Amino acid sequence: MFALRTDLIDVSIRMTEAGHDGEAGVDDSTVQLLLAADDRRTMVQALLSDRYELVIGGPVADADLFVVDSDRFSEYAPLLRERTADRPAFTPVILLRRDSHTDDIAVADPSESDEPQLVNAVVDAPLDPDRLRRRVHSLLVRRHQSLTLLADATTGDERPRQNPLERAAERPGRTDSDDTVDTAVDLSTDRDGTGRPVADDRYEAIFNRTSQFTGLLEPDGMILEANDTALAFAGLDRDDVVGRPFWEADWFDRSASLREQTKRDVERAADGEFVRRTIEMQGTDDTAIIDFSIRPIRDDSGDVTLLVPEGREITSLKERERDLRRYQRRFEAVFEDPKTLVGLLEPDGTLVQANETAMAAIDTDLESIVGEPFWDTPWWPDDARADVREWTDRAAAGEYVDYERDHVGTDGTFTATGTIRPVTNAAGEVVSLIASAHDITERKERERELERTNEQLERFASIVSHDLRNPLNVLAGWLEQAEATGDPKPFEHCHEAVDRMDRLIDDLLTLARQGEQVDAIDAVDLERVVSDCWQSVETGSATLRTDVSGSIHADETRLRQLLENLFRNAVEHGSTSPASHAQQDAVEHGSTNPDSQAHQGDVEHGESTVSVSVGPLEDGFYVADDGAGIPTDERERVFENGYSTASDGTGFGLSIVATIAEAHGWDVRVTESPSGGARFEFTGVTVTD
């Protein structure tokens, strides 16, 4: 950033004791008039005598400023050049140009020539009194700045007094302080080999040979001087600005508000405040962004005697800052992707930054994990840390690493697919790593759901045949009886069996299309459904005890399938009679003979009768029997597809029960009933009174 060269200004424009307008050093100056025409000499004398000590004509004296007209310039030029060369301090010369034949006499540019600069200002006829006064005053200010610099450099204290340029040389380069210069210059009184006084060169280096805008103001804001850089920026001549209020100069033409703000800045500086801000100034072709300041200069009594406005064009810097902010916004837009967990790492794996999405996944703050190895951060379970370290090392070696792994989050583990990729500089060196991941838990769940659905579809052919076997057997039996007897009454039972098959087929197909989901959830009277299902199953001499009341939330069709399969399982497998095990398939698979079906309970169960009970649980219900029960080591397998204790059974009955329970979101488990039989408990059920 820009910094004022205050060490220079402090010394270079320090004035002597306060006098008229606080500038006794300027007002006590000696001005020699080297003018040929009496009328011009009289006019200039009248304009300057009230403020300066005048020397009229004669040989070149030891004056602070010379006014010479074009008619006598060739006569006095060698003497003035010799006099200037003999003096180390800046000694200005003003040329009064009478007509066009002296156009070749102009102000030399010291940066383009090693010749000493002789003429410092040109005032053309007709003479403008105000313009002449301003030029004399501003040049005398520069003269006394040069004298002060010279005095500082040659002071005779016991401890050599360090001049501001030398002090500045001890500080490397610019800083943001307000007392900095670029380089140091030795302010000696020795010649520099060009014939030009060294102090004069130093003044030019300070004031004009700089890329900064610099000027001098009266405390009321009147412009005393402006350097070449400031003038060239706006395409101005020195006479265009000297003697004008600073805020009315062309630099501030951009807006009225800028003028008003600059006026307020001058007033604040005149009160002793250092003012600095960024403004947009008007140049010759366009505006420019300027780092602008006004610094008050005080005399030995502490009074503000001068103001030093300075500025440095920072348009390109501001453009770079805007570009940087734009790139930063783009980076943040990518980095803060709400659907992606992103982390920025050092090549050694140290965490530098993590986005909000990543931080929302864990229960900690960013400050506590920045600086930690990535593999030790809370996103990773313990068994993944070694892998993460390996992935990081590979990425640091330049590899683009893909991974799929479980992460640890505030709600438990989640599956993510991600990358750790290297970021390289122009030389191809890895300077950082970017780790990113997407939560694919839902996708993985959908994949698992699809797998379950496919498995379910594969077994539906067997399920359909299993559930349809009973009504088909009933239908076949009644048709045989109708053929044998000619009695049409059995056809009514045939129609009932066909209707039952239609309902089963429709329901099973619906379940197949919907996977394991059920949609028609209603409050179902459990006691009623239990009774209806018992009536629809061939139960023989088995008995039912119901101890439930109220309703549960369920899909009634699915619930009926669940209960019918449980009742059928209890009747078929619950008998303790050896004869029943020999004949149990007659019930499970059905018979084509109605008579055999009518008596199958006596055949299958022999002398024993199975008792089935349905009762309530705190959040569900149970179905139990008093049969032989299920061995402990077999209870985990009874819900598997194809599991059956019968030699020719399909083993889908209890699988259907588990599928329907899962579709409702219920949990089901097998345990032992109080009488030693099987007990199926369903929990997670919504129960209402």
Side-chain angles (χ1 to χ4, degrees):
M1 291 294 294
F2 162 68
L4 277 175
R5 40 170 77 203
T6 57
D7 278 343
L8 295 177
I9 301 300
D10 265 340
V11 175
S12 67
I13 60 176
R14 193 183 319 128
M15 310 307 292
T16 59
E17 295 179 356
H20 177 70
D21 290 339
E23 298 177 14
V26 173
D27 293 342
D28 292 343
S29 300
T30 300
V31 177
Q32 184 172 14
L33 306 181
L34 303 175
L35 305 174
D38 291 340
D39 56 343
R40 176 169 292 194
R41 184 169 57 248
T42 301
M43 179 185 299
V44 173
Q45 183 177 351
L47 289 173
L48 302 180
S49 61
D50 63 333
R51 188 164 187 178
Y52 309 108
E53 180 182 346
L54 300 182
V55 177
I56 310 299
V60 174
D62 189 16
D64 295 296
L65 180 145
F66 298 92
V67 180
V68 58
D69 63 18
S70 56
D71 292 340
R72 305 192 66 179
F73 181 76
S74 59
E75 174 187 348
Y76 284 109
L79 299 173
L80 290 171
R81 184 170 287 108
E82 180 182 353
R83 193 268 176 205
T84 301
D86 288 338
R87 301 294 189 274
F90 169 67
T91 305
V93 175
I94 296 177
L95 175 69
L96 301 185
R97 191 161 53 187
R98 180 185 297 273
D99 52 47
S100 59
H101 81 275
T102 57
D103 282 349
D104 57 324
I105 305 173
V107 180
D109 185 351
S111 65
E112 297 179 356
S113 171
D114 288 334
E115 289 296 323
Q117 181 178 357
L118 181 58
V119 176
N120 304 101
V122 176
V123 178
D124 293 321
L127 193 63
D128 182 337
D130 289 337
R131 181 180 179 188
L132 178 61
R133 287 195 193 96
R134 290 197 302 269
R135 299 308 295 130
V136 169
H137 181 70
S138 63
L139 288 171
L140 286 173
V141 169
R142 292 174 60 181
R143 159 76 172 172
H144 281 271
Q145 292 168 6
S146 177
L147 289 171
T148 305
L149 281 171
L150 183 61
D152 269 12
T154 59
T155 207
D157 296 342
E158 181 178 329
R159 179 177 180 273
R161 187 174 181 183
Q162 192 179 33
N163 70 65
L165 288 171
E166 291 168 340
R167 291 198 299 271
E170 297 174 357
R171 296 186 295 274
R174 292 184 180 274
T175 68
D176 278 339
S177 67
D178 57 357
D179 58 353
T180 315
V181 295
D182 292 323
T183 56
V185 185
D186 180 21
L187 284 179
S188 69
T189 58
D190 295 335
R191 304 296 173 182
D192 60 1
T194 65
R196 182 184 297 117
V198 174
D200 195 5
D201 279 352
R202 300 305 172 253
Y203 178 83
E204 287 297 326
I206 293 169
F207 197 75
N208 280 322
R209 299 180 189 180
T210 174
S211 61
Q212 293 181 178
F213 304 164
T214 307
L216 297 175
L217 310 178
E218 298 275 12
D220 62 1
M222 199 66 64
I223 300 174
L224 296 174
E225 186 61 270
N227 75 342
D228 293 343
T229 303
L231 295 171
F233 171 71
L236 300 171
D237 291 328
R238 189 166 276 101
D239 290 335
D240 295 332
V241 297
V242 171
R244 295 179 61 187
F246 185 52
W247 54 88
E248 291 183 2
D250 292 358
W251 299 299
F252 307 101
D253 275 350
R254 187 171 178 273
S255 68
S257 62
L258 179 59
R259 290 183 184 276
E260 289 299 319
Q261 180 62 56
T262 305
K263 183 178 180 181
R264 290 193 294 270
D265 291 342
V266 170
E267 292 168 351
R268 290 166 56 195
D271 289 338
E273 180 182 351
F274 173 75
V275 180
R276 183 178 181 180
R277 60 190 174 88
T278 300
I279 64 174
E280 192 167 357
M281 278 182 128
Q282 183 64 51
T284 304
D285 302 318
D286 203 351
T287 59
I289 300 173
I290 305 296
D291 185 1
F292 170 75
S293 65
I294 305 177
R295 185 178 188 275
I297 302 300
R298 301 176 186 273
D299 60 15
D300 292 339
S301 63
D303 296 328
V304 175
T305 58
L306 286 174
L307 304 178
V308 180
E310 286 204 353
R312 179 168 66 95
E313 183 176 356
I314 56 172
T315 305
S316 59
L317 174 63
K318 287 297 182 180
E319 289 174 350
R320 289 195 297 272
E321 289 177 353
R322 284 194 292 267
D323 290 342
L324 181 60
R325 287 194 295 269
R326 184 166 60 251
Y327 295 145
Q328 181 68 20
R329 287 193 296 270
R330 291 176 181 174
F331 172 77
E332 289 175 355
V334 175
F335 191 76
E336 293 297 344
D337 185 343
K339 295 183 178 180
T340 307
L341 289 73
V342 184
L344 182 63
L345 317 177
E346 296 285 4
D348 64 0
T350 301
L351 180 67
V352 176
Q353 181 64 282
N355 72 350
E356 293 182 4
T357 306
M359 294 309 302
I362 56 177
D363 188 18
T364 188
D365 57 272
L366 181 61
E367 290 74 14
S368 65
I369 58 175
V370 165
E372 294 294 322
F374 185 48
W375 50 86
D376 286 340
T377 56
W379 291 290
W380 303 104
D382 290 340
D383 61 355
R385 300 191 189 282
D387 289 340
V388 179
R389 184 165 191 168
E390 179 196 347
W391 301 336
T392 304
D393 290 342
R394 287 162 53 193
E399 183 179 348
Y400 194 103
V401 181
D402 293 308
Y403 70 87
E404 181 178 315
R405 193 65 189 248
D406 285 344
H407 285 263
V408 177
T410 54
D411 299 326
T413 60
F414 61 95
T415 305
T417 179
T419 61
I420 303 177
R421 59 186 178 88
V423 178
T424 58
N425 59 16
E429 301 166 330
V430 175
V431 295
S432 61
L433 306 175
I434 295 179
S436 60
H438 296 272
D439 185 350
I440 60 168
T441 305
E442 292 184 2
R443 191 185 80 188
K444 299 297 287 186
E445 182 58 35
R446 289 194 298 270
E447 291 176 356
R448 287 190 287 268
E449 178 66 26
L450 180 59
E451 290 176 3
R452 287 194 296 267
T453 300
N454 289 337
E455 291 174 0
Q456 190 176 25
L457 290 172
E458 289 176 1
R459 69 177 186 250
F460 258 110
S462 298
I463 294 175
V464 170
S465 66
H466 178 271
D467 275 46
L468 290 178
R469 184 180 56 231
N470 237 18
L472 280 172
N473 289 341
V474 171
L475 175 62
W478 286 114
L479 286 174
E480 288 179 4
Q481 182 173 329
E483 285 182 356
T485 64
D487 184 0
K489 187 175 181 179
F491 288 111
E492 295 178 7
H493 299 290
C494 292
H495 287 300
E496 292 174 357
V498 170
D499 290 341
R500 171 67 177 152
M501 286 188 292
D502 284 340
R503 287 194 299 272
L504 284 172
I505 291 170
D506 289 342
D507 291 344
L508 289 170
L509 289 175
T510 299
L511 185 59
R513 295 189 184 101
Q514 296 178 349
E516 296 180 351
Q517 302 300 316
V518 291
D519 297 323
I521 301 295
D522 295 303
V524 178
D525 185 334
L526 183 57
E527 183 178 12
R528 174 182 60 80
V529 173
V530 167
S531 177
D532 290 347
C533 291
W534 185 261
Q535 295 299 323
S536 65
V537 175
E538 297 289 346
T539 58
S541 59
T543 60
L544 173 68
R545 186 178 74 254
T546 305
D547 188 23
V548 293
S549 62
S551 301
I552 65 171
H553 287 192
D555 181 322
E556 184 170 341
T557 302
R558 301 282 88 74
L559 178 61
R560 284 179 177 274
Q561 287 180 281
L562 181 147
L563 291 172
E564 288 174 3
N565 275 281
L566 286 175
F567 293 159
R568 188 177 300 116
N569 183 78
V571 171
E572 294 174 353
H573 300 282
S575 175
T576 58
S577 168
S580 70
H581 290 286
Q583 301 294 330
Q584 64 184 355
D585 193 48
V587 176
E588 182 174 355
H589 299 285
S591 170
T592 57
N593 189 329
D595 291 332
S596 68
Q597 292 184 35
H599 300 287
Q600 64 187 356
D602 294 334
V603 173
E604 182 174 355
H605 300 292
E607 298 176 354
S608 299
T609 301
V610 176
S611 177
V612 179
S613 61
V614 180
L617 297 173
E618 182 178 352
D619 61 341
F621 62 94
Y622 68 85
V623 177
D625 63 56
D626 60 357
I630 301 172
T632 303
D633 58 352
E634 296 289 329
R635 291 173 187 171
E636 294 296 325
R637 298 183 55 216
V638 295
F639 296 116
E640 295 178 2
N641 291 331
Y643 176 81
S644 176
T645 58
S647 61
D648 58 351
T650 61
F652 285 102
L654 293 181
S655 176
I656 294 173
V657 170
T659 299
I660 295 172
E662 185 178 354
H664 282 83
W666 302 341
D667 294 320
V668 57
R669 75 185 187 104
V670 184
T671 184
E672 185 177 306
S673 69
S675 59
R679 172 170 161 141
F680 296 85
E681 295 181 347
F682 299 88
T683 55
V685 182
T686 301
V687 181
T688 58
D689 295 334

